[in-house]
Structure formats: C-alpha cells, structure tokens
Amino acid sequence: MTKQERAVTTRRDLIRSAAVAFDRYGYAQATLSDISKQAGVSTGALHFHFANKAALAEAVEEDATEALRSVVREAYRSRESALQALTDASHGVLRLLRGNIVFRAGFQLNADFTWESGLDLRREWHTCVRRFVDEAAQEGALVDDVVPGDVTVTIMAVMTGYGLLGREEREWFSQRMLTGFWELLLPRIAAADTVDALVPGGGPVPPA
Amino acid sequence: MTKQERAVTTRRDLIRSAAVAFDRYGYAQATLSDISKQAGVSTGALHFHFANKAALAEAVEEDATEALRSVVREAYRSRESALQALTDASHGVLRLLRGNIVFRAGFQLNADFTWESGLDLRREWHTCVRRFVDEAAQEGALVDDVVPGDVTVTIMAVMTGYGLLGREEREWFSQRMLTGFWELLLPRIAAADTVDALVPGGGPVPPA
C-alpha cells in the first residue's frame, strides 16, 4: 500500500468507527479516544484527518447522503412507474439502515439532540419522496380522492419511525415490515389500472 | 398554602422544569442546576424531592405514562367501534405531544440515546394499539385481505415518526397531518359497511 492509499484507508476506518460510536452512544457521549481506538490508530493520526468530533460527524453525514443519493438514483433509473420507484427507494433506504452503519449513524445524527449540522439527510429524503409522489400524480397513477401531500407525509413519518424503532429492535429494519406497509398503502393510493403491476416488496435488489 | 401543598407544587414544578430541559437538551445534557433554576427553587430543595437526574427522568416518564393511560381509557370508554377508538387515541397522543411538555419529554426520553429506564412508554402504546386492532378484527371491522399485524406496525411507525419529526417542526404535531394519514388508512382497512361511520379527524375532544 502506498502512503496515499493508507491515508484513504485510515480515513475510511475512522469514519466507520465514528459511525459505530455515534450509533451506540449518540453524538455527545461518543469520545475521540473510543473512535481512534476502535479504528486502531493513534489520536494523533485521528487529528491528522479530522480537526474534531464535529468534523467526523460531518464526514459521516456526507457519506450517508451519498449512499441515499445512490439508492434514489438507482430506483429512478430502473423505474417502471413513479410509485414503484418510490417503493423501491424506500426499501433501499431500509436496506441501508439495516446494513450500512455509516448511513444508519448519519440518519440518527439527524435526530440527535446533541448534534446539529447544515446537512440534512431527512430533508433530502423528504424532497425525493415528494418528487416521486408528484410524478405519480402527473402520471395519473394516484386514485382521485388521494391528496399527494398526505402520501408524502405518511411515508416520511413511517420511514422515520422505522429508523428510530429499529435502533432498539432490529426487526423494524426488516423488509417484511416495510412490505406490510406498502401492502396497506399501495392498493389505497394506486389507480385501479396500475395497482396489479406494483410490487410492495420492492423491485430486484441492484448489485452492490 | 400549607407546607404540604407547597411541597406538592414544588415537586410538580420540578418535574415540569426537568421535562423542559430534557425536551430541549436531551437527558445527558440537561443539568440539575438548569432544572432547579427554571423551577425557581434551590438545588437543596431539588435534592429534597429527587435524589438525582435519573429520579427526575423517572418521574417525567411516570407522569407521561399516566397521561397516555388516561387518553387511551377515554378513547376506549367513549368508543363506538375499535377502529374509531384507535383513531381517537392516536389523536389524543398527538394532542399530548403538542400541548403537554411532560408527555412530550417522556415520549422522547424513550428514544434518547443517553437514558434508559424500566418504564417503556412506547411499549405500552404498542400494546394499546395492538389491542384496538385485534378488537377491530374480532368485530369483523377489518377488510379480509388486511393483516392486523401490518396495521399495528404501520400505526406505531407513523406515530413514532410524528413524535420525532415534530420536535424540529411543530407542524408534524398538527391534527391535520394525522387526519391525512387516517384518510389514507381507514378506507383501506375498514370493512365496507363500517367505513362511512368513521371520523379520520377523531371524535370530539374530551373536556380536560
């Protein structure tokens, strides 16, 4: 490994360790010495990469935001309808909550009393959801008496809820739980001629 | 005021001040000196009532649990159907989140990284929701293809989401938002002969 490759690896390890610490203790209680120890580097090496804990939290949020964008892009790219893309994107977000500690920590930092930053993962996700719902309305894929804003708000609340509840009981991150929600919602909101084609469990998982 | 009345008032003021501090800063960052100052008493007086911060947090959770039980009892007592009672109880919980700082703090302590107790407001609420949904199923008030567990899980996720999102944007605590959710859900889950009688905005608010 060249010196530069090593630096990249160390930086990545530190972000991951920070995510583990934030996920476990919250921002205020996570300590730099825990983070450097977990990453297997000295606190000097940590400070070479990150000025302080806030800089680490920002890096976690940046990586989490990138992961979110990638899930949304993929759902959008392979979409057959806006409602299916929205369903797929929500499953993608849950998959990240389940398996990507940096994303999970970023999502939770967003709700952490003790941390505030300019980045806002939740606001970005909100914008994506609203865009998918508006597109579904434009496609004529929503039932007439459904208010698009109600759909957006419900999806935001549900996903926020899963994110929080899953912290204590991992079951809330399971695909089964979210599929149950879509099995309730899709037949209610999707126009009659589109509903049969929709897959509440989400489309095929893209290769990692 | 007798000495005993004054003690009761002071205790109540301290619980309220603690709730304000927990709501604003989270458990870990709230300080006893802030709490006693806000309640207008000395730290000595605080320690007369509460041994430490944990004892204050427990008192907040106890009062919050009492408020939850009272809302659920009222919804149950005045119910015409289990689904209406569930709708009413959810509006009651949102009303508490909106207007009762001790309940809001208790609900949030439940999700606080830095606080853990034996009481679990969320688990109690979960049990109530499940009971209402099971009763609706027994009444034959659910559509055949609806899985009761999916309904329970969706309501839990939605209410948890509102509770968290409302901390930053009070709009999430509004009756309008929750009514929009029930307008989506009720026509999907309620048996055809019951749906017209249901009020998504909740029944009349009981006198305080």
Side-chain angles (χ1 to χ4, degrees):
Chain A
M1 232 193 288
T2 67
K3 204 168 162 186
Q4 203 180 350
E5 284 166 343
R6 206 157 46 235
V8 169
T9 306
T10 303
R11 193 185 139 84
R12 206 194 46 217
D13 290 350
L14 282 166
I15 292 175
R16 207 192 130 78
S17 299
V20 169
F22 297 150
D23 183 52
R24 193 170 302 161
Y25 308 115
Y27 178 74
Q29 310 276 94
T31 68
L32 290 181
S33 88
D34 277 349
I35 293 169
S36 58
K37 204 178 295 168
Q38 162 102 20
V41 305
S42 65
T43 51
L46 186 154
H47 282 295
F48 174 78
H49 289 279
F50 297 98
N52 48 36
K53 193 160 68 167
L56 271 162
E58 274 164 27
V60 167
E61 284 191 319
E62 270 166 35
D63 282 13
T65 304
E66 249 331 297
L68 173 68
R69 286 177 188 161
S70 153
V71 153
V72 170
R73 263 196 309 269
E74 176 56 31
Y76 197 81
R77 203 188 55 72
S78 62
R79 79 203 234 275
E80 310 219 323
S81 69
L83 279 183
Q84 188 62 55
L86 174 56
T87 307
D88 295 352
S90 74
H91 279 288
V93 166
L94 206 73
R95 218 157 35 234
L96 287 175
L97 282 171
R98 199 161 57 224
N100 183 327
I101 178 70
V102 176
F103 181 80
R104 188 160 70 240
F107 197 84
Q108 285 163 3
L109 276 171
N110 219 193
D112 193 320
F113 282 92
T114 57
W115 165 251
E116 223 160 299
S117 82
L119 259 178
D120 194 330
L121 198 58
R122 188 169 306 123
R123 202 173 298 275
E124 178 137 353
W125 171 233
H126 196 159
T127 306
C128 296
V129 172
R130 188 162 37 210
R131 205 190 317 138
F132 282 130
V133 173
D134 287 348
E135 242 178 73
Q138 282 155 23
E139 285 171 2
L142 294 186
V143 169
D144 277 349
D145 80 323
V146 162
V147 180
D150 288 347
V151 177
T152 302
V153 160
T154 295
I155 292 164
M156 281 306 294
V158 161
M159 295 298 294
T160 303
Y162 282 124
L164 187 66
L165 293 164
R167 211 173 58 204
E168 277 166 31
E169 294 175 68
R170 299 278 299 178
E171 204 187 340
W172 290 94
F173 289 154
S174 71
Q175 192 193 13
R176 173 71 207 96
M177 288 263 195
L178 187 58
T179 301
F181 164 69
W182 285 115
E183 275 167 0
L184 287 179
L185 195 69
L186 287 173
R188 166 71 176 108
I189 66 171
D193 57 338
T194 66
V195 67
D196 285 345
L198 295 171
V199 185
V205 179
Chain B
M1 230 191 294
T2 67
K3 204 168 163 185
Q4 203 180 349
E5 285 167 340
R6 206 160 43 236
V8 169
T9 308
T10 303
R11 196 186 137 84
R12 206 193 46 215
D13 289 350
L14 281 166
I15 293 175
R16 205 192 133 79
S17 298
V20 169
F22 297 150
D23 182 53
R24 194 171 301 162
Y25 307 115
Y27 178 73
Q29 311 274 94
T31 69
L32 290 180
S33 89
D34 277 349
I35 293 168
S36 58
K37 205 178 294 168
Q38 163 102 19
V41 306
S42 67
T43 51
L46 185 154
H47 283 295
F48 174 78
H49 290 278
F50 298 98
N52 47 35
K53 193 160 67 168
L56 271 162
E58 274 164 28
V60 166
E61 284 192 320
E62 270 166 34
D63 281 13
T65 303
E66 248 333 295
L68 173 68
R69 286 177 187 160
S70 152
V71 151
V72 170
R73 262 196 311 269
E74 175 57 30
Y76 198 80
R77 203 188 55 73
S78 62
R79 78 202 236 279
E80 311 220 322
S81 69
L83 279 184
Q84 188 63 55
L86 175 56
T87 306
D88 294 353
S90 74
H91 279 288
V93 167
L94 206 73
R95 216 158 36 235
L96 287 175
L97 283 171
R98 199 162 55 224
N100 182 327
I101 178 71
V102 175
F103 181 81
R104 188 161 70 239
F107 196 85
Q108 286 163 4
L109 276 172
N110 218 193
D112 193 320
F113 282 94
T114 56
W115 165 251
E116 223 159 301
S117 84
L119 260 179
D120 195 329
L121 197 58
R122 189 170 306 123
R123 203 172 298 276
E124 178 136 354
W125 171 230
H126 196 159
T127 306
C128 296
V129 171
R130 189 162 36 210
R131 205 188 319 137
F132 281 130
V133 172
D134 286 348
E135 241 178 74
Q138 281 154 22
E139 286 171 4
L142 293 186
V143 169
D144 277 349
D145 79 324
V146 161
V147 180
D150 288 348
V151 177
T152 302
V153 159
T154 295
I155 292 165
M156 282 306 293
V158 160
M159 295 299 292
T160 304
Y162 282 124
L164 188 65
L165 292 163
R167 212 174 57 205
E168 277 166 31
E169 293 174 68
R170 298 277 299 177
E171 205 185 338
W172 290 95
F173 290 154
S174 70
Q175 192 194 13
R176 174 71 206 96
M177 288 262 194
L178 187 58
T179 301
F181 164 69
W182 285 115
E183 275 166 359
L184 287 179
L185 196 69
L186 288 174
R188 166 73 177 105
I189 65 173
D193 57 338
T194 66
V195 67
D196 284 347
L198 296 170
V199 185
V205 179

